[in-house]
Amino acid sequence: MQSWMRVNRITSILKQTVPPCDTTLSRKMELFVGSEHSRLYQKHRPAYPSSLYQFIADFCKTGTGSLDSAVDVGCGTGLSTRPLCEHFRHVIGVDVSETQIKMAREAHAQTNLSFEVSEAGRLTFIHDDSTDLVTVAQAIHWIDQEPFYKEVERILKPGGSLIVYGYGNCVLDNDKGNQVIQRFYRHDLHGYWDSRRRHIDNLCQEVRLPFPGWTRNSDFVIQYRWTTAEVVGYLSTWSAWQSYLKQNPKSHLLRDIEQHLRDIYLDQRVTITWPVFLLLGRKAPTS
């Protein structure tokens, strides 16, 4: 694709000036701005199945009749943003963390993809009524929802879709393995989880979308066959572990957990599964 075509698509939904992001981050968001944590996140977080993105695209198209533009808010390093490029003409990933956005730009080179540093409630660089889809993947619990929902209402086309999705706590295929993970999650990291973690524990049952008639879907799962080292790599991305490390920088806790899992699984791979939830809503169409 020629560069002028890409610029033309971008400017159709982006305003000419992107305002500077407020860099005064809350303590919660600071958990995700470090370059090492961003690297771990990019390497070890699980990916959603491709069928989920087809489902999202199909839902969106029935609302606006087009798949021109999508905005992924709280995109992190772009793991949830890149798959949208296979369905939409142009995709924008947005995150408050400059570090995460820098890594996203380095990791993804799709010509119909761009990234911006911004708060979720200040999408002022996107035109009114210009967007077919807004997504939030595994990040709604970090977002101040009231100003964000106002921006969603503004930038979505009539009939445009807001889809909030994510995954719950992982489950291993061995009871003893699950006990190791649960002890780490609930005992070792007790007091290090932010209170908003409950939204992941309960699959965002308390979250409400701003559009009447929104629905919930629980038909998808994420599943991998991982080595014990890959499982521990995923555990290292948990925000509570990053908080724990700041106070216990010489901790061998994850090394011990990996050894426990090796003793249980020997040389076998671990089947690890996450339940997936989607909240799906649409802006009212033009009457």
Side-chain angles (χ1 to χ4, degrees), residues 10 14 42 65 73 84 96 115 117 134-135 153 155 164-165 176-178 204 206 210 222 234 242 272 277:
I10 294 172
L14 286 178
Q42 175 70 19
V73 177
L84 294 172
V96 72
F115 292 97
V117 177
V134 175
T135 56
E153 174 75 30
I155 70 174
V164 172
Y165 64 105
K176 290 183 178 179
N178 275 321
C204 282
E206 301 172 36
I222 301 171
Y234 165 67
Q242 296 300 313
I272 182 169
F277 64 88

Side-chain angles (χ1 to χ4, degrees), residues 45 181 184-185 189 193 234-242:
R45 280 281 167 146
I181 301 300
F184 178 59
Y185 183 89
L189 298 182
W193 288 110
Y234 165 67
L235 301 182
S236 74
T237 70
W238 285 358
S239 59
W241 171 246
Q242 296 300 313

Side-chain angles (χ1 to χ4, degrees), residues 1-275:
M1 183 182 296
Q2 296 179 3
S3 60
W4 68 268
M5 295 176 65
R6 180 173 184 267
V7 171
N8 187 51
R9 290 180 179 177
I10 294 172
T11 55
S12 67
I13 58 175
L14 286 178
K15 295 182 179 179
Q16 292 300 314
T17 302
V18 178
C21 178
D22 182 357
T23 56
T24 304
L25 304 179
S26 69
R27 181 185 65 82
K28 287 84 174 178
M29 296 310 298
E30 286 176 355
L31 297 172
F32 295 97
V33 301
S35 58
E36 176 60 17
H37 193 196
S38 296
R39 184 191 66 79
L40 292 172
Y41 208 90
Q42 175 70 19
K43 182 178 180 180
H44 295 297
R45 280 281 167 146
Y48 297 92
S50 58
S51 57
L52 180 140
Y53 292 99
Q54 183 63 60
F55 175 83
I56 288 174
D58 291 343
F59 180 88
C60 181
K61 192 169 185 178
T62 59
T64 62
S66 65
L67 298 175
D68 289 332
S69 58
V71 178
D72 185 32
V73 177
C75 69
T77 60
L79 292 175
S80 61
T81 318
R82 182 195 56 77
L84 294 172
C85 295
E86 299 178 14
H87 302 279
F88 291 82
R89 292 180 63 202
H90 182 68
V91 179
I92 303 172
V94 179
D95 200 276
V96 72
S97 167
E98 292 184 9
T99 303
Q100 295 264 42
I101 290 297
K102 180 177 183 293
M103 185 163 292
R105 287 169 174 160
E106 293 172 351
H108 308 293
Q110 285 77 6
T111 56
N112 61 334
L113 176 60
S114 62
F115 292 97
E116 300 292 343
V117 177
S118 177
E119 298 173 11
R122 296 184 65 210
L123 304 177
T124 53
F125 51 93
I126 300 177
H127 287 298
D128 297 355
D129 302 320
S130 63
T131 305
D132 293 291
L133 171 69
V134 175
T135 56
V136 181
Q138 201 72 353
I140 193 64
H141 54 301
W142 297 115
I143 290 174
D144 188 351
Q145 291 170 29
E146 183 176 354
F148 169 59
Y149 286 162
K150 289 181 179 178
E151 283 291 78
V152 169
E153 174 75 30
R154 180 183 65 80
I155 70 174
L156 279 180
K157 298 176 182 177
S161 300
L162 168 63
I163 300 181
V164 172
Y165 64 105
Y167 50 86
N169 294 319
C170 64
V171 179
L172 307 190
D173 60 339
N174 181 287
D175 288 341
K176 290 183 178 179
N178 275 321
Q179 290 172 11
V180 172
I181 301 300
Q182 286 299 309
R183 178 176 175 81
F184 178 59
Y185 183 89
R186 302 190 183 280
H187 176 73
D188 297 323
L189 298 182
H190 179 72
Y192 292 94
W193 288 110
D194 186 89
S195 61
R196 302 185 193 194
R197 178 68 191 187
R198 73 182 188 279
H199 294 297
I200 301 302
D201 291 340
N202 66 23
L203 303 178
C204 282
Q205 294 289 344
E206 301 172 36
V207 174
R208 299 291 182 268
L209 298 191
F211 304 122
W214 65 272
T215 60
R216 172 182 286 269
N217 179 288
S218 303
D219 294 341
F220 294 90
V221 297
I222 301 171
Q223 189 170 88
Y224 283 92
R225 292 274 292 169
W226 273 354
T227 64
T228 54
E230 288 173 320
V231 173
V232 170
Y234 165 67
L235 301 182
S236 74
T237 70
W238 285 358
S239 59
W241 171 246
Q242 296 300 313
S243 296
Y244 180 92
L245 270 184
K246 289 180 180 179
Q247 296 188 26
N248 305 275
K250 297 183 179 180
S251 174
H252 294 165
L253 185 54
L254 277 188
R255 187 185 306 171
D256 295 339
I257 288 174
E258 183 174 359
Q259 186 58 57
H260 289 319
L261 291 176
R262 284 178 177 174
D263 291 342
I264 293 168
Y265 282 93
L266 302 177
D267 293 327
Q268 297 180 352
R269 285 184 172 262
V270 181
T271 299
I272 182 169
T273 305
W274 295 263

